[in-house]
Amino acid sequence: MTDNVTKIAIYGVGLMGGSLALCFKGKPGLWVTGHSPNPASVQKYLEREVVDEATTSFEQAALGADFIFLCVPVGKLEEYLDRLMTLPLKPSCIITDVGSTKASVVASAQELGMKEVYFIGGHPMAGSERSGVEAASSYLYENAFYVLTPLEATPDEAYRRLEELLRWTRAHIIRMDPRLHDDIVGAISHLPHIIAVALVNQIAAYNKSNPLYESLAAGGFRDITRIASSDPVMWRDILVNNREVLLKLLRDWNDQIDRFTDMLEAADGPGIEQEFIRAGQFRSQLPERRKGVMTSHYDLYIDVPDHPGIVGNIAGQLGSEGINLRNIQIIESRADVPGVLRLSFGNEKDFAKAAELLKKKYTVHY
């Protein structure tokens, strides 16, 4: 690495950090260093050619870095910031993170009273069902929103430098107040995760006395509760970190549930109908298939006749067109599910090609 090269240090080269690394690696004038305290992980980064170099040394990774990305769990961000502040960082170095909560880490950076280096909070609002460096992709952030939450004292020049670097991700950069970020993301991501977990656990409790709950809880139930399978440790840290926002949101949620309780007790059919109309109207305004803070799922449902070989025929059609089918499932419980087969794809491109191909012959729902 020469003196005129921009060094990017990434602590935690998993799905998020690895995807950033792949966006930067090989670009003119950029050099990517990955860090992990685990030698096996460092070896994996190098074998998969995700970074230009990798090290287990915390100090070596930061040495001479122009940009430092903290892609570690939310619960470790303040610890990493504290350690970085003990090092002789390069003047004008920009430190950022990818955590899904912003107010606490920005406050922590503010308290550290950084001099000659700058902290700009970051949250790329994209993800994947998979995790780890194996799931990293240079396309993960494309067309996603990437929120930046600089400190009040952050110079415009430093903000522009980070914004310019992030152009390589092909994400839409948004500048936002950290507290506003936590309010919004708490409502559209953190609260739904709590609701999904609570709902699944409620049904699991019923299932102990009657296993038919599990047998019949397919289709729509599985779809709306997918996020209940998210990483427990990661979500423990996120929810505790954003607890003040979530406590308010949960009180508002309880008010909504109380309204439904009151309407049911009063057998208020028109009131219930109106709630569904209001919800449907707002949901219809939401952008289709845009990358957001929660993982997108690319599923098609198709109606097919129950003929021998039909599943193999469909898989063969997709394969002949170079469409990668991640999973195929025969739906036994049709409640709330608009099709006999569920086809799952790993990305929007395969999803769109499959929909266009199959709707020529079958009824396709998505």
Side-chain angles (χ1 to χ4, degrees), residues 16-17 19-20 23-24 68-71 96-99 102 120-126 140-149 159 162-163 165-176 181 291-293:
M16 307 297 280
S19 295
L20 283 170
C23 289
F24 302 142
I68 296 175
F69 285 82
L70 300 180
C71 304
T96 186
D97 73 309
V98 298
K102 295 272 66 77
I120 301 174
H123 180 201
M125 298 174 69
L140 181 67
Y141 305 120
E142 186 173 11
N143 294 323
F145 288 116
Y146 198 125
V147 176
L148 294 179
T149 60
Y159 181 88
L162 178 58
E163 187 178 40
L165 176 67
L166 291 174
R167 298 294 180 196
W168 292 112
T169 67
R170 299 180 297 281
H172 301 295
I173 312 299
I174 294 182
R175 185 168 184 162
M176 188 180 294
H181 167 277
K291 288 185 179 181
V293 66

Side-chain angles (χ1 to χ4, degrees), residues 9-21 33-37 41 45 51 55 61 69-73 80 98 132-133 141:
I10 299 178
Y11 288 82
V13 190
L15 169 68
M16 307 297 280
S19 295
L20 283 170
T33 299
H35 170 270
S36 171
S41 295
Y45 303 162
V51 297
T55 178
F69 285 82
L70 300 180
C71 304
V72 297
Y80 272 64
V98 298
V133 68
Y141 305 120

Side-chain angles (χ1 to χ4, degrees), residues 39 58 98 143 195 206 242 296 310 340:
F58 192 94
V98 298
N143 294 323
I195 293 169
Y206 297 157
N242 204 26
S296 296
I310 189 68
V340 175

Side-chain angles (χ1 to χ4, degrees), residues 82-105:
D82 288 342
R83 288 188 67 184
L84 285 173
M85 290 302 97
T86 67
L87 304 179
L89 300 178
K90 185 175 181 178
S92 298
C93 171
I94 294 174
I95 305 169
T96 186
D97 73 309
V98 298
S100 66
T101 60
K102 295 272 66 77
S104 62
V105 68

Side-chain angles (χ1 to χ4, degrees), residues 58-81:
F58 192 94
E59 295 77 11
Q60 186 66 31
L63 183 64
D66 298 278
F67 296 91
I68 296 175
F69 285 82
L70 300 180
C71 304
V72 297
V74 167
K76 290 184 174 292
L77 286 174
E78 293 182 22
E79 171 193 334
Y80 272 64
L81 271 179

